[in-house]
Amino acid sequence: MSSGHALASDQAMLEECNPFLSMARGFNTAADHLGLDEGVREVLRQPDREMKVSLPIRMDDGSVKVFTGYRVQHNTLRGPCKGGIRFAPDVNLDEVRALSAWMTWKCSVVNLPFGGGKGGVICDPRTMSNGELERLTRSYTIAIMDILGPDRDVPAPDMNTNEQTMAWIMDTYSMHARRTTTAIVTGKPLSIGGSQGRREATGRGVMISANQALKIVGMRPENARVVVQGSGNVGGIGALLLHQEGYKITSMSDMYGCIYNEKGLDVPAVLLHLRRQGRLEGFLGADHIQASEQLELDCDVLVPAATENQITSRNADRIKAKLIVEGANGPTTAIASKMLEDRGVVIVPDILANAGGVTVSYFEWVQDRMGYFWSEDIVNSRLEQIMIKAFDEVAEMAKRHNVGLRTAAYIVAIDRVATVYRMRGLAN
Ligand code: NAD
């Protein structure tokens, strides 16, 4: 590896990729710039509340299995907690805790009146039937119901949960509350209080962030070659919107493979193929390359939109992009981020770049509470206003403190929460 960075040992890599340590690094650097005193740091570092629940479920074969679920509420100073629920075999408290804190900073950086929360259930949804998933979702909702509510904690989808999961949560909560309570979750189907534009919102936010950041790099969309990792809600829709904006998408990937065409992919055709075949494999208008090569392709913009810890100290030196727009949560470790920024690579951090999703979730919550629903045009233009304002505030902070956009985003976010904390004071 070049530039004198020794290959990290496995133990060091585990630490580098630990989401809680990564979040703490980002937090501490920003807190130093803000000159936050130790007491305020202590308050903002700790989650307000952590709930662990046991969920006995009758499986389809008649047996009973007990699942473990978590809900962590990191901070409620600026409003109810907001954050997704993930179903995955490797869910653990450390991860949920870190993600809940990230949600506090993400909501704050785009100035939404929410704190941060996150939930997770340890399970393997691929091996479960729809009925088992429904019973698990309903049981989880009942178990954490005392700490949920439109004014307390408003979940949303995350990994392996979707509109249907949110509909089950809304229904279970409403049955127990004895009134239909649409504002209890966001990311719902349109027919039960979802918002226009929610499905595209995170990809749209990625596109808006890329447009803003491209001005810093001094490029125009027509000249920018883009590599997108992940072709799901964020990557697939992000790639399509960037393509429509005039960017040349040269590579896309999913968990099964990676395609590349130096002349630019026909993104609508790629997505049609993906819808029909369930994977990118077999797409004819491109070469198929190794997944490990994708992030290191010669390109101008890299959009990691799949999963966490994709750019680490092991590959950061080989990344060629001038601009990285983080569609996924935590795709770049704190160490890799510093290595890249030292080389002049501009990184739009996850808490800003993928905040389009939570912003339209906020719109959904507002519309549910008003009982008055907006057109897609209104949703999209309000999203654009919020994203551009947040981007400009972060860019301005980066200049003022002479730091990268990641640290600047944390500074903006932490400063807002700390200000509310000082205004409200301690309860004792
Ligand atoms: P998704 O399940 O819709 O799509 C994930 C995509 O990534 C799929 O195409 C999958 O095949 C691919 N993938 C998984 N592992 C991969 C790998 N190692 N290499 C290449 N491709 C891989 O998920 P999503 O909603 O698009 O979420 C992606 C990321 O964005 C996650 O980190 C998520 O937390 C974050 N995020 C999502 C939203 C949202 O609104 N959906 C909002 C903010 C952040």
Side-chain angles (χ1 to χ4, degrees):
M1 195 176 263
S2 59
S3 72
H5 291 280
L7 258 190
S9 69
D10 289 348
Q11 182 53 35
M13 189 47 62
L14 271 180
E15 276 178 29
E16 182 180 337
C17 293
N18 179 307
F20 195 72
L21 293 179
S22 216
M23 195 279 299
R25 277 193 197 104
F27 175 86
N28 286 332
T29 310
D32 288 346
H33 279 280
L34 281 167
L36 274 193
D37 69 61
E38 194 44 46
V40 181
R41 284 182 202 227
E42 195 58 19
V43 172
L44 301 186
R45 256 198 303 253
Q46 306 289 340
D48 285 358
R49 180 189 271 153
E50 298 181 348
M51 194 170 195
K52 178 180 175 197
V53 291
S54 293
L55 311 166
I57 305 297
R58 176 86 55 200
M59 305 304 280
D60 289 348
D61 65 4
S63 65
V64 172
K65 212 169 154 187
V66 182
F67 293 85
T68 300
Y70 303 101
R71 183 76 189 168
V72 176
Q73 299 179 332
H74 175 256
N75 196 286
T76 54
L77 280 164
R78 288 169 44 86
C81 295
K82 191 84 197 79
I85 292 168
R86 62 172 57 174
F87 285 178
D90 55 355
V91 162
N92 61 74
L93 187 54
D94 238 13
E95 178 189 70
V96 180
R97 204 182 267 150
L99 292 168
S100 74
W102 259 319
M103 285 307 299
T104 301
W105 313 131
K106 193 182 296 187
C107 291
S108 178
V109 89
V110 278
N111 213 355
L112 307 179
F114 286 137
K118 202 81 182 186
V121 178
I122 306 172
C123 64
D124 187 353
R126 287 170 310 180
T127 63
M128 296 173 72
S129 70
N130 213 36
E132 288 168 343
L133 284 172
E134 176 173 354
R135 293 194 288 281
L136 181 63
T137 305
R138 289 187 184 277
S139 172
Y140 175 67
T141 308
I142 292 168
I144 63 168
M145 190 164 156
D146 285 344
I147 63 168
L148 296 185
D151 291 311
R152 287 184 180 154
D153 186 350
V154 185
D158 195 68
M159 223 179 263
N160 298 323
T161 57
N162 54 29
E163 289 187 354
Q164 176 61 75
T165 324
M166 297 306 109
W168 290 328
I169 294 176
M170 186 283 245
D171 182 65
T172 308
Y173 185 92
S174 297
M175 279 178 358
H176 285 262
R178 303 214 169 272
R179 75 187 78 90
T180 293
T181 312
T182 51
I184 180 63
V185 278
T186 60
K188 298 181 295 296
L190 271 180
S191 55
I192 56 165
S195 175
Q196 297 285 352
R198 172 64 186 88
R199 195 173 296 155
E200 299 79 17
T202 309
R204 188 170 292 282
V206 166
M207 183 265 284
I208 297 166
S209 303
N211 284 346
Q212 295 306 104
L214 216 57
K215 295 176 195 158
I216 299 180
V217 182
M219 284 190 83
R220 298 171 61 80
E222 310 81 83
N223 304 325
R225 297 160 303 155
V226 186
V227 167
V228 182
Q229 185 194 40
S231 299
N233 181 271
V234 184
I237 293 173
L240 181 65
L241 294 171
L242 288 166
H243 169 79
Q244 288 168 356
E245 202 67 4
Y247 291 79
K248 191 200 278 187
I249 314 298
T250 54
S251 174
M252 291 175 68
S253 65
D254 64 10
M255 65 173 81
Y256 307 105
C258 176
I259 56 175
Y260 173 69
N261 183 339
E262 66 172 346
K263 296 200 177 75
L265 294 165
D266 177 350
V267 179
V270 173
L271 295 179
L272 186 65
H273 173 89
L274 185 60
R275 254 198 314 279
R276 287 189 177 148
Q277 307 295 327
R279 53 182 68 197
L280 296 176
E281 218 170 41
F283 179 71
L284 294 176
D287 296 328
H288 291 260
I289 61 167
Q290 291 296 319
S292 55
E293 294 171 50
Q294 193 198 19
L295 300 179
E296 300 165 19
L297 283 169
D298 190 14
C299 67
D300 303 297
V301 185
L302 177 60
V303 181
T307 184
E308 59 266 34
N309 297 325
Q310 295 301 297
I311 306 173
T312 68
S313 56
R314 287 195 172 153
N315 61 1
D317 272 345
R318 297 192 297 273
I319 303 280
K320 300 189 185 65
K322 302 177 184 69
L323 169 63
I324 298 176
V325 183
E326 295 186 332
N329 284 318
T332 317
T333 65
I335 293 174
S337 195
K338 171 143 188 4
M339 288 166 68
L340 288 158
E341 286 185 338
D342 285 351
R343 277 207 278 125
V345 178
V346 174
I347 304 176
V348 187
D350 45 10
I351 59 170
L352 174 61
N354 70 33
V358 74
T359 302
V360 177
S361 272
Y362 162 61
F363 295 164
E364 180 175 333
W365 177 80
V366 169
Q367 292 170 81
D368 287 340
R369 290 165 71 103
M370 287 194 300
Y372 175 64
F373 291 86
W374 312 344
S375 69
E376 190 169 352
D377 282 350
I378 291 184
V379 169
N380 289 346
S381 82
R382 288 181 178 162
L383 170 63
E384 188 173 12
Q385 275 172 29
I386 288 184
M387 291 297 301
I388 291 180
K389 184 163 188 284
F391 191 98
D392 289 348
E393 283 165 347
V394 169
E396 173 57 33
M397 191 62 90
K399 262 194 216 144
R400 196 183 320 158
H401 286 267
N402 194 22
V403 292
L405 295 177
R406 187 185 308 285
T407 300
Y410 272 102
I411 295 176
V412 169
I414 292 169
D415 193 30
R416 282 199 180 120
V417 181
T419 301
V420 173
Y421 167 70
R422 287 193 204 95
M423 294 296 292
R424 290 181 57 163
L426 282 176
N428 52 23

